[in-house]
Structures are given as C-alpha cells and as structure tokens.
Amino acid sequence: MTQLTGQPATDDDVVHLTVPADGGYLGVLRTATAGLAARLQFALDEIEDLRIAVDEACAMLLAIATRDAELECRFAVTEDALTVEVTVPTVRGATLPGESSFAWKVLTALTTAAAAESADGRATISLLTRRSGY
C-alpha cells in the first residue's frame, strides 16, 4: 500500500474509531472527519469534500465486508493535513473498485491523494487531504 502522510504525527495526533460495518454508523465517521478537519482550520468546502470522500470510501468497503465485521478508521492529524485510513475484513475473493471506476474518481477528485490495498483478507482505503494554501 502506498503510505499517504503529511508531516509526521505524534501519538497524540492519531484518533482510532471502530464501528460496526453497517451504513447506519457512517454518520459517526463523517462527524469525526468534520471535527478533525475543522480543528485543522480547513475551509467549509474542504470539510464537506472530505466528509463525502470518507463516506464513499466506507461505502466501497461495506460492499465487500464480511458479515458482522467492524470498520476501523484511523485519523492522523498533522499541521497541514488529515490522513484517513479505513479498513475492514473482506469476504473471500472481494475486490475494490478499479482506479478507472466512478467511485475511485470521486475519491481522487475530493482529496489530495487516495490509495487502496487488499491483502490477507482485509481491504484498506487511505485518503490524504491537505489544507488549501499548503
């Protein structure tokens, strides 16, 4: 997987959230995303773009998640960026949408960078968004 990072984060600048892999819990992740992006003083449109990107990444993962899975989300806050990594255990043979898919184009349009990895029965989507002006 391509590691997407801003400047190095300290342990105090990393937030881990785990929720059931169910669409009803995505609001928790969207709210956390908005709160952390606001802490970095992202512009309102940047916050909304990131919320949409996290929602889209989670939707991609929920489609291939195992039954009763948990969605793990790691937020790394740096001086000028927010990195979000969302991971879920996947059903056998599951694949993420390709880079030419509409869903992937949405992710790359709404973030500074996006990457995906699927290995050892788990899939991860990483999103990096830098605050404008950096």
Side-chain angles (χ1 to χ4, degrees), residues 5-129:
T5 59
Q7 298 173 7
T10 66
D11 287 340
D12 292 339
D13 295 323
V14 177
V15 176
H16 294 270
L17 289 176
T18 302
V19 298
D22 179 291
Y25 292 92
L26 295 185
V28 173
L29 299 179
R30 287 191 301 268
T31 300
T33 300
L36 291 168
R39 180 175 173 222
L40 286 169
Q41 300 179 342
F42 277 37
L44 289 177
D45 59 333
E46 293 171 320
I47 293 171
E48 188 58 25
D49 286 351
L50 187 55
R51 283 171 37 104
I52 293 167
V54 167
D55 197 55
E56 187 67 32
C58 290
M60 281 191 240
L61 292 174
L62 291 180
I64 59 173
T66 59
R67 185 174 179 197
D68 298 324
E70 290 185 326
L71 193 62
E72 298 172 21
C73 193
R74 178 184 181 274
F75 300 90
V77 179
T78 61
E79 183 179 316
D80 68 333
L82 179 61
T83 303
V84 182
E85 294 177 359
V86 187
T87 304
V88 71
T90 60
V91 297
R92 182 176 295 236
T95 58
L96 288 164
E99 291 185 11
S100 62
S101 69
F102 178 74
W104 196 256
K105 291 189 183 303
V106 169
L107 289 185
T108 57
L110 296 174
T111 60
T112 304
E117 175 187 48
S118 186
D120 301 324
R122 296 187 70 74
T124 302
I125 296 177
S126 301
L127 307 171
L128 169 68
T129 301

